[in-house]
Amino acid sequence: MTDELTVAAAQEAGALRRSPRMPVLFLGHGSPMNAIEDNAYRRSWQALGGEFGGKWPTPQLILCVSAHWLTQGWWLTGMAQPKTIHDFGGFPKALFEQQYPAPGFPAAAREISELVRQPGSARPLSLDLQDWGLDHGAWAVLKPMFPQATIPVLQLSMDYSRPPSEHYALGQQLKVLRERGVLIVGSGNVVHNLRTLQMGTPSHQAYDWALEFDQSIARYLQQGDFAALQDFQKLGAVAQQAHPSHEHLLPLLYCAGAVAADEVPQFFNASFQAASISMRSVLWP
């Protein structure tokens, strides 16, 4: 109850108050069905959410960078009540019925939009007051983590036309928010190739190229080699197979930008769905 009152007070004051440094999370979200199926991935998200309010403070705000909001320039949701977006097709009705009514935080969105500058132009982040909301890259992982939906959520879009180095640079600007009660969550996948899915493949099996790329990225993170992480395309054909388009990897660059090179990452869910989606997730505590 005290943590909920703290969040409410911060919203009313229109400011993000100083806090102990919050962790950073990159979550491999995989199939949207992970949001409702009782599987190891969903259970891990539930367990992780349970650590907040104990091991770590309850966030004043969650800032989520999802693979599924691509824009020209960078945008931040600024509405008071972001809608739940079902940006997928061909799934059961139960998935389309899911709602995640977490509030927005317009005052914090305005503050962050002025604090963070768009790489290349130095313009403030643009504010989206009505068009977007929370896509499945956000709500599918946040609903298991924080099912009461009381913590405000903002989504940050990505400009796919810009080079990886600029996504990392924007992530570096987010670092200061960790001491203002903001939980930064990147949602994507270290390997994501829907063209080569092999449904029914055990989670410990994957294509050789998928394993190679996943292990290369894990090594960069373990070594704090964020320069190599930004240059992932230098892995050549393996990178192209792992990401025919790389929007699912980009959220990881924001997370890496928000941590120091000497912060030690912890991996979990280091397995695969359908042989070509890496569910590897990363916690920087």
Side-chain angles (χ1 to χ4, degrees):
M1 181 64 70
T2 301
D3 284 329
E4 290 183 7
L5 290 174
T6 300
V7 171
Q11 284 184 271
E12 186 174 345
L16 294 168
R17 301 187 303 133
R18 288 195 66 86
S19 75
R21 188 179 72 182
M22 300 295 289
V24 174
L25 282 171
F26 173 77
L27 298 177
H29 64 243
S31 167
M33 290 298 293
N34 292 327
I36 60 174
E37 290 181 341
D38 181 23
N39 60 29
Y41 305 122
R42 184 169 181 268
R43 289 193 294 270
S44 76
W45 301 335
Q46 291 171 320
L48 189 58
E51 299 279 7
F52 290 89
K55 185 175 183 179
W56 302 295
T58 298
Q60 296 176 46
L61 170 68
I62 298 169
L63 179 62
C64 186
V65 186
S66 164
H68 295 280
W69 191 22
L70 305 180
T71 55
Q72 183 175 358
W74 280 268
W75 291 74
L76 192 64
T77 54
M79 66 285 293
Q81 297 295 330
K83 61 189 175 184
T84 302
I85 301 173
H86 301 89
D87 51 328
F88 43 68
F91 289 96
K93 180 181 178 182
L95 194 60
F96 289 90
E97 292 174 343
Q98 295 297 305
Q99 294 291 318
Y100 192 63
F105 197 158
R110 290 192 295 270
E111 289 185 12
I112 294 171
S113 73
E114 291 295 333
L115 176 68
V116 178
R117 297 289 158 158
Q118 300 193 40
S121 71
R123 295 194 306 267
L125 297 176
S126 300
L127 286 178
D128 173 16
L129 302 180
Q130 62 180 10
D131 290 335
W132 204 247
L134 304 179
D135 60 52
H136 82 271
W139 65 258
V141 295
L142 294 180
K143 187 171 184 177
M145 287 182 68
F146 304 108
Q148 294 181 341
T150 55
I151 301 171
V153 181
L154 302 182
Q155 263 201 241
L156 173 64
S157 76
M158 303 186 299
D159 187 340
Y160 185 78
S161 70
R162 308 306 300 168
S165 60
E166 293 191 4
H167 297 273
Y168 177 80
L170 198 154
Q172 288 182 298
Q173 297 181 64
L174 304 179
K175 190 178 301 184
V176 297
L177 299 177
R178 297 175 62 188
E179 297 181 357
R180 292 292 189 274
V182 179
L183 174 62
I184 297 168
V185 178
S187 180
N189 293 100
V190 171
V191 174
H192 188 266
N193 188 334
L194 299 183
R195 303 172 187 174
T196 56
L197 295 180
Q198 292 288 336
M199 305 306 293
T201 302
S203 63
H204 64 280
Q205 294 181 9
Y207 295 100
D208 288 344
W209 49 262
L211 290 167
E212 181 179 348
F213 188 83
D214 179 71
Q215 291 165 3
S216 294
I217 296 300
R219 184 171 64 254
Y220 298 156
L221 295 175
Q222 287 175 318
Q223 296 171 348
D225 190 349
F226 297 150
L229 180 66
Q230 295 171 68
D231 286 338
F232 67 90
Q233 290 167 311
K234 289 185 177 179
L235 292 172
V238 168
Q240 186 59 41
Q241 287 176 298
H243 292 280
S245 60
H246 55 257
E247 74 283 344
H248 274 73
L249 187 64
L250 290 179
L252 179 60
L253 296 181
Y254 291 79
C255 295
V259 303
D262 60 353
E263 288 188 69
V264 179
Q266 298 176 8
F267 298 133
F268 60 102
N269 289 347
S271 58
F272 284 79
Q273 284 194 306
S276 61
I277 297 179
S278 169
M279 294 297 290
R280 181 181 296 277
S281 300
V282 192
L283 164 68
W284 286 272

